[in-house]
Amino acid sequence: MSIRIDPSPYMTSLTENYLFSEVRARINGFLSRNGGEIINLGVGDVAYPLPLLIAEEMERAAAELADNARFRGYPPEGGYDFLKKAASDFYFKHGARVCEDEIFIGVGTKSDASAFTEIFGKADVIVPDPVYPVYADSAAMRGDRVLFLKGEKENGFLPMPDGQERKPWIIWICSPNNPAGSAYDGAQLSSWVNFALDTGSLILFDSAYSAFAEPPIPKTIYGIDGAKECAVEFFSFSKFAGFTNLRCSWVVVPNALKCRGARVNALWRRRQAAKFNGVCYPVQMAAAAALAEEGERECEKIVSVYKENAREISGFLKEAGVWHTGGKHSPYVWAECPRG
Ligand code: PLP
């Protein structure tokens, strides 16, 4: 018995497994054949638990929900004001101005980023290669045409817009990059912003690894002139604060960003109102604690351990004469296999 409804032709065009599910299946297969232990350097999950003060904040907030006087029902779908204010302050600290009404709190960059393009008509999409697989998969699920821009030794795994067809694109940028560990500097990001402004393109900037970026690598695209007219930014608490289980993120959709006269901010607000019911209060309180001074310090301590690990791996590879990117501004190292 089969239901008589067609599957989306775009779904059936996808590769059978999501990349990380495929990696997990191969590891499990290897272990069941060979036994032993594997140190998995492949998938970007965190290794350390939440800083205690963040977990305690969440407990306090959860207890409020069991109290008659302080109970809360559905959260606002765009996020509580206290967390949007903390996010706006985060940008101010990093030299950019982002207003609270430009910020939308979400349950993770994977969900935010894969849903975001829903508000646009069909588009041609630029995706760097290699990169986090969600951008290409979600473009394929919409039937968008994807142009992969090759990261390679020659461009240091930082593809640039030179030579690209000058037409409107949706352009994904992930900097610092997963998995290559490469990161654009301000001048390189400016080239992308200028290309987007000249061609009427939209940049979707994934800053999931911004906590690993040190000067002169920008932590946000909004330090770049003109970015607020052409770029949306995704921020995740996953790697910065160990929220891979808790789930919290935000999207910045600037008020100045318009597509053919429509405000992109209003389109995303309308989409979220229809399809999303917000992030729970304890998680948003925990996220605000991670952005507060003491919480941020605790998170930075953990990030610095991941950075030190990557730096060490990079050091070994350098000694062994193996070409690689990353190991700096990133938890990732992307190394050439010496025998192909
Ligand atoms: N963006 C990039 C580049 C990532 O590498 C990851 C996770 O590995 C994510 C987004 C997922 O973020 P979140 O946990 O907020 O969904």
Side-chain angles (χ1 to χ4, degrees):
M1 165 69 188
S2 168
I3 56 169
R4 282 179 287 165
I5 299 167
D6 293 332
S8 155
Y10 306 131
M11 287 305 295
T12 50
S13 75
L14 293 174
T15 54
E16 193 179 351
N17 286 333
Y18 178 62
L19 176 66
F20 297 133
S21 318
E22 177 69 26
V23 170
R24 199 170 311 121
R26 287 199 202 177
I27 289 173
N28 290 341
F30 177 90
L31 287 176
S32 67
R33 282 191 308 276
N34 303 289
E37 234 184 291
I38 277 187
I39 299 173
N40 183 357
L41 298 175
V43 176
D45 205 342
V46 293
Y48 286 91
L50 288 174
L52 193 59
L53 67 92
I54 292 177
E56 285 171 350
E57 186 65 14
M58 194 167 49
E59 271 182 56
R60 264 193 298 277
E64 282 185 42
L65 296 183
D67 177 37
N68 207 17
R70 291 180 298 169
F71 171 74
R72 294 160 186 260
Y74 286 118
E77 71 265 2
Y80 285 109
D81 287 344
F82 65 80
L83 185 53
K84 291 196 284 185
K85 164 87 171 56
S88 173
D89 291 348
F90 167 90
Y91 283 105
F92 190 72
K93 203 165 69 188
H94 295 297
R97 280 194 183 275
V98 171
C99 302
E100 289 160 48
D101 65 356
E102 296 175 308
I103 293 163
F104 296 81
I105 306 300
V107 287
T109 293
K110 189 185 205 180
S111 317
D112 293 338
S114 58
F116 197 80
T117 49
E118 267 180 33
I119 61 175
F120 301 103
K122 280 237 165 24
D124 290 340
V125 181
I126 287 181
V127 175
D129 179 27
V131 85
Y132 186 52
V134 168
Y135 322 141
D137 272 2
S138 49
M141 284 183 204
R142 280 168 34 88
D144 285 343
R145 192 173 71 89
V146 177
L147 173 72
F148 288 102
L149 279 198
K150 205 85 196 110
E152 48 204 353
K153 211 168 176 176
E154 290 64 38
N155 60 21
F157 285 78
L158 293 168
M160 296 299 295
D162 328 322
Q164 297 318 313
E165 195 182 340
R166 303 190 72 77
K167 64 172 197 177
W169 298 92
I170 289 178
I171 301 163
W172 283 100
I173 296 179
C174 176
S175 179
N177 175 282
N178 171 6
S182 45
Y184 288 109
D185 64 22
Q188 291 167 318
L189 278 185
S190 272
S191 300
W192 274 114
V193 166
N194 290 335
F195 176 81
L197 292 172
D198 288 350
T199 54
S201 299
L202 170 70
I203 292 177
L204 298 178
F205 186 78
D206 185 345
S207 72
Y209 297 94
S210 65
F212 295 81
E214 289 167 28
I217 299 302
K219 281 183 185 286
T220 162
I221 197 161
Y222 298 122
I224 308 295
D225 280 347
K228 283 196 106 179
E229 276 102 74
C230 64
V232 162
E233 179 164 298
F234 300 90
F235 177 93
S236 170
F237 286 85
S238 284
K239 308 303 156 66
F240 151 64
F243 275 48
T244 50
N245 186 287
L246 287 188
R247 317 301 302 140
C248 198
S249 59
W250 70 63
V251 187
V252 178
V253 191
N255 284 320
L257 186 61
K258 300 214 173 70
C259 65
R260 301 224 190 271
R263 283 181 55 238
V264 178
N265 181 295
L267 298 178
W268 183 241
R269 192 173 301 281
R270 182 69 183 84
R271 188 270 177 202
Q272 289 298 80
K275 291 199 177 184
F276 185 61
N277 249 346
V279 179
C280 77
Y281 176 66
V283 167
Q284 291 197 51
M285 286 294 278
L291 290 175
E293 208 176 311
E294 206 187 336
E296 195 181 29
R297 226 181 2 254
E298 291 300 308
C299 293
E300 278 169 359
K301 270 192 222 158
I302 296 175
V303 165
S304 70
V305 176
Y306 300 139
K307 279 171 80 164
E308 187 47 42
N309 290 345
R311 214 184 331 261
E312 241 178 79
I313 294 171
S314 167
F316 289 136
L317 291 171
K318 214 172 275 167
E319 258 174 50
V322 177
W323 190 91
H324 61 282
T325 50
K328 218 174 152 188
H329 310 296
S330 168
Y332 294 111
V333 176
W334 185 252
E336 186 169 57
C337 290
R339 286 181 292 277

